[in-house]
């Protein structure tokens, strides 16, 4: 598979076409995040979308086209919080905000996280070029910001890229290993109110470790 590329200018879709396309992509996200690219089928996606296979193929010619469209949407959403890391903001506050956003995305968008993880675990056949290109460029740009904060003495000396890796690993754990998290937490995993909310508990813990560890000494 080729890497996802920006959509070329096409004839505008009608409102119904846009609605149906979004229904297909949501169904495809469900299928691909559950079964992977190879395991998911056009028939499964059509059934989840509540439409016939010929109707689905009117919007997308091949399974690969659907997969690429889902990945493009996922990547755009998944990387947005990192893009908004503000070089002019307070370093600790900016990193804390990024952690909060990533953790809440893991809670609210577990399918997207699993889709991305499955793609990576299979060698990134569809997004390898994206990882080596736009993703690397974005990480390099934000690492430069973090490195400047270190040089200015505004955060403790750390490797910027590995700091970003650590934030990704700890926040996405709650989506990719949801079954394990729920097994260990038991009934607390379903407590969505007050301090018992596992997302809030995770947020407090991660912010304490990251932010206290990054404060200049």
């Amino acid at each position: 598979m080729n890497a996802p590329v920006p959509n070329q200018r096409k004839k505008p879709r009608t409102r119904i076409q846009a609605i149906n396309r979004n229904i297909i992509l949501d169904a495809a996200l469900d299928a691909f995040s559950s079964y992977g690219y190879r395991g998911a089928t056009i028939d499964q996606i059509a059934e989840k979308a509540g439409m016939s296979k010929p109707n689905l193929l009117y919007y997308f010619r091949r399974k690969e086209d659907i997969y690429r469209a889902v990945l493009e949407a996922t990547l755009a959403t998944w990387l947005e919080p990192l893009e908004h890391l503000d070089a002019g903001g307070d370093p600790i506050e900016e990193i804390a905000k990024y952690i909060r956003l990533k953790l809440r995305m893991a809670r609210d968008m577990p399918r997207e996280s699993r889709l991305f993880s499955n793609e990576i675990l299979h060698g990134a056949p569809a997004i390898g070029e994206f990882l080596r290109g736009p993703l690397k460029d974005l990480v390099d740009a934000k690492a430069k910001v973090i490195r400047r904060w270190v040089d200015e003495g505004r955060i403790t000396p750390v490797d910027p890229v590995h700091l970003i890796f650590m934030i990704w690993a700890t926040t996405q754990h709650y989506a990719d290993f949801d079954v394990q998290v729920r097994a260990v937490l038991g009934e607390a995993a379903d407590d969505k109110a007050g301090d018992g909310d596992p997302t809030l508990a995770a947020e407090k813990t991660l912010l304490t470790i990251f932010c206290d560890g990054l404060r200049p000494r």
Side-chain angles (χ1 to χ4, degrees), residues 29-205:
L29 173 60
D30 201 35
F32 289 131
S33 65
S34 298
Y35 308 113
Y37 175 76
R38 294 180 181 179
T41 66
I42 291 287
D43 289 325
Q44 286 174 335
I45 297 170
E47 182 179 356
K48 288 177 179 293
M51 62 179 62
S52 67
K53 183 175 178 179
N55 192 16
L56 182 148
L57 293 175
Y58 169 81
Y59 293 92
F60 296 94
R61 292 180 303 161
R62 303 169 300 171
K63 182 173 77 169
E64 178 183 342
D65 296 335
I66 306 174
Y67 185 66
R68 289 181 63 191
V70 173
L71 271 176
E72 286 178 359
T74 296
L75 288 169
T77 301
W78 215 243
L79 294 176
E80 186 175 1
L82 183 57
E83 291 173 349
H84 290 164
L85 191 73
D86 184 4
D90 177 80
I92 300 298
E93 290 180 4
E94 287 298 315
I95 292 170
K97 181 171 68 175
Y98 181 52
I99 291 170
R100 289 190 187 97
L101 287 171
K102 286 290 293 176
L103 189 57
R104 291 172 189 182
M105 286 177 73
R107 178 194 65 191
D108 299 336
M109 306 173 68
R111 296 181 302 168
E112 287 84 349
S113 184
R114 288 196 297 269
L115 174 75
F116 185 80
S117 295
N118 284 335
E119 170 69 10
I120 297 297
L121 288 172
H122 285 85
I127 62 170
E129 291 182 14
F130 178 87
L131 298 181
R132 293 184 292 271
L135 177 65
K136 185 179 186 306
D137 291 343
L138 175 61
V139 171
D140 286 346
K142 298 307 177 180
K144 185 177 180 180
V145 170
I146 296 171
R147 191 171 291 110
R148 178 166 61 78
W149 288 340
V150 170
D151 292 342
E152 294 173 348
R154 300 173 72 189
I155 61 173
T156 195
V158 293
D159 183 289
V161 175
H162 288 289
L163 174 62
I164 293 172
F165 286 164
M166 288 175 65
I167 293 173
W168 287 353
T170 52
T171 55
Q172 288 177 225
H173 173 88
Y174 291 92
D176 300 339
F177 292 85
D178 178 68
V179 173
Q180 176 178 275
V181 170
R182 289 180 173 277
V184 174
L185 290 179
E187 293 182 0
D190 296 316
D191 184 357
K192 302 298 182 184
D195 291 338
D197 184 336
T199 302
L200 292 178
E203 181 179 296
K204 289 180 179 179
T205 301

